Amino acid sequence: MNESPGWASPGSAPSDGDKPGVPRPAEPTDQSDAASKWSKEQPPAAQWTAPSGQNAPSGPPQQQSAPNWGGRPQGGGWGGPPPAAKPGVIPLRPLGVGEILDGAVSTLRAHWRTVLGITVTVAVISQICDILVQRYLMPAPAELDPNATAAEALNQSVDAMRSSLVNSAPTFAITLIGTLFTTALLTMVISRSVLGRPVTLADAWREARPQLPQLLGLTLLLPLMAAAIMTVGILPGVLLGGGAGIALSLFTGTAAFVVVLWLMIRFSLASPALMLERQSVMKALSRSAKLVSGAWWRIFGITLLTIVLTFIVSMIIAVPFGLIAYAADDGLGGLLSGRTPEFGWPFLIITGIGAVIAASITYPISAGVSVLLYIDQRIRREALDLELARAAGIPGYGPEQSPDTASGS
């Protein structure tokens, strides 16, 4: 069973000062004939009995607990919505876009030591490996001959593109490994923050470690699936060649891209499902497809918004560091001259620092949105708020459960 739940149910947050209570009949306005309308033997104010059989706590009626119907505490007043419990960074009810983004940021703020410990460590190691690869393994970028004919220039461009793809493979592998560890650890941190429970780096690692092989398989499978679909889509036009081949490649390539986009959103919740439910790779993909079904456009919109926001944050950080790196290494004059700069250690180190800072901020937001989207879908479809509330020990939701029980499939 899973020790890190991540789910919840319908309801709405109580307004300020709204306290549920047990309704009582209004006292007669005319005190002179009160005896003719009401029995002299009225029950004491503090001893109304809830339908569950338990006496309500003592105190004025507006401070008494509402009865529990079907496992959920009922709201105060006449037919009002039940208040949403909020033991951690999100209320236990269906979430809006703002609440999902706020929950991701709140997790970073509430557990900043653990979150930054994870992201900074992974980002620093990844950047060091990336700098060493770029400095010692990557060949110099190909120079294009300005006097070449149109056919020669086209061949040079194709060779340069192929070389860039090959050279980017080590960087992609490093990024993949870094994303693997941050996703695994941050998923555990966020699932605990939903319950309002503290979590240390050691706790996150202990819970995430058994699922790392499966997460690695999932992390490799999705890009390979996308690459295979794009290859199948573009290959016929490439083999045909000529103008007709280019037109065919554009058409089939666009269709393949649409299929890839649809599949990536459909499987976007596979990672948190795999980590939090202790699923295998294929079951996690099936679980994600089930949760996304009927909500594809909503999840696509939230995912796209998150990508745009994290990209903007990354650019805000990367552009100043990039300009400083150019000035420290080759001078801004070299940037404006149009010639290919020869990057040295100052450029690589300064841009690496900027990349670490950007990753430390954007990684938790991206991971947080992914996990909270998964939680939100389980809130809407499976009413897992009850088990989360019980696991958090909130009164009125039944006996407290261990995280193992709350995080069932």
Side-chain angles (χ1 to χ4, degrees):
M1 299 297 293
N2 173 348
E3 294 187 12
S4 299
W7 15 105
S9 140
S12 61
S15 58
D16 293 337
D18 182 23
K19 298 181 181 179
V22 177
R24 297 190 57 197
E27 296 294 336
T29 56
D30 186 0
Q31 299 295 331
S32 62
D33 58 0
S36 64
K37 295 183 178 181
W38 302 100
S39 172
K40 294 181 180 181
E41 298 180 359
Q42 292 294 322
Q47 306 207 358
W48 293 87
T49 302
S52 61
Q54 296 177 349
N55 289 335
S58 300
Q62 66 272 17
Q63 295 180 353
Q64 294 175 354
S65 299
N68 188 336
W69 297 93
R72 288 187 178 85
Q74 303 301 303
W78 298 93
K86 188 178 180 182
V89 295
I90 59 169
L92 302 185
R93 57 174 171 78
L95 304 175
V97 178
E99 289 173 320
I100 290 175
L101 294 172
D102 179 70
V105 175
S106 297
T107 301
L108 173 60
R109 187 168 58 245
H111 304 283
W112 64 271
R113 289 185 179 87
T114 303
V115 172
L116 291 182
I118 294 169
T119 56
V120 171
T121 300
V122 173
V124 167
I125 295 175
S126 300
Q127 284 301 315
I128 290 175
C129 295
D130 189 38
I131 288 173
L132 294 176
V133 167
Q134 292 187 51
R135 185 63 178 173
Y136 294 110
L137 298 181
M138 302 274 276
E143 295 285 348
L144 298 180
D145 185 3
N147 300 321
T149 63
E152 292 174 346
L154 180 60
N155 291 332
Q156 290 178 4
S157 299
V158 172
D159 291 340
M161 185 181 300
R162 185 184 300 111
S163 177
S164 298
L165 290 175
V166 173
N167 293 341
S168 64
T171 301
F172 175 76
I174 294 170
T175 303
L176 193 67
I177 295 173
T179 303
L180 172 73
F181 282 100
T182 53
T183 300
L185 297 175
L186 290 177
T187 298
M188 298 305 172
V189 174
I190 295 163
S191 67
R192 291 294 181 179
S193 69
V194 170
L195 296 176
R197 294 182 176 176
V199 59
T200 64
L201 182 57
D203 294 334
W205 172 250
R206 183 173 60 253
E207 294 176 2
R209 184 174 55 187
Q211 290 299 104
L212 285 178
Q214 290 87 342
L215 183 60
L216 176 61
L218 178 65
T219 307
L220 291 173
L221 177 62
L222 292 178
L224 290 176
M225 182 189 304
I229 294 173
M230 290 301 299
T231 301
V232 171
I234 297 175
L235 189 59
V238 173
L239 296 177
L240 181 61
I246 294 175
L248 180 61
S249 294
L250 290 175
F251 177 76
T252 56
T254 302
F257 175 77
V258 172
V259 173
V260 168
L261 178 62
W262 181 78
L263 287 175
M264 291 303 104
I265 297 299
R266 186 172 176 83
F267 297 143
S268 60
L269 304 183
S271 175
L274 184 145
M275 296 300 300
L276 296 176
E277 300 182 27
R278 301 294 194 261
Q279 299 278 15
S280 64
V281 173
M282 300 310 297
K283 287 184 178 180
L285 292 174
S286 175
R287 189 82 170 105
S288 175
K290 179 181 178 181
L291 291 174
V292 174
S293 177
W296 191 95
W297 284 107
R298 179 176 182 271
I299 294 175
F300 168 73
I302 296 174
T303 303
L304 180 62
L305 176 62
T306 305
I307 292 173
V308 171
L309 290 177
T310 54
F311 176 77
I312 291 174
V313 171
S314 298
M315 289 298 100
I316 290 174
I317 297 172
V319 169
F321 275 91
L323 294 175
I324 295 171
Y326 267 109
D329 192 342
D330 197 50
L332 294 178
L335 177 63
L336 301 175
S337 65
R339 61 184 176 83
T340 303
E342 296 181 0
F343 299 131
W345 282 109
F347 178 87
L348 296 175
I349 291 173
I350 295 174
T351 53
I353 293 173
V356 168
I357 296 174
S360 300
I361 298 174
T362 57
Y363 273 175
I365 295 176
S366 299
V369 169
S370 176
V371 175
L372 293 179
L373 269 175
Y374 164 82
I375 293 173
D376 179 55
Q377 287 304 111
R378 293 203 62 181
I379 289 173
R380 295 170 183 270
R381 294 178 179 272
E382 301 171 2
L384 222 55
D385 59 316
L386 300 180
E387 297 182 20
L388 279 181
R390 292 182 190 122
I394 297 175
Y397 285 86
E400 181 177 355
Q401 296 182 4
S402 66
D404 284 355
T405 306
S407 60
S409 63

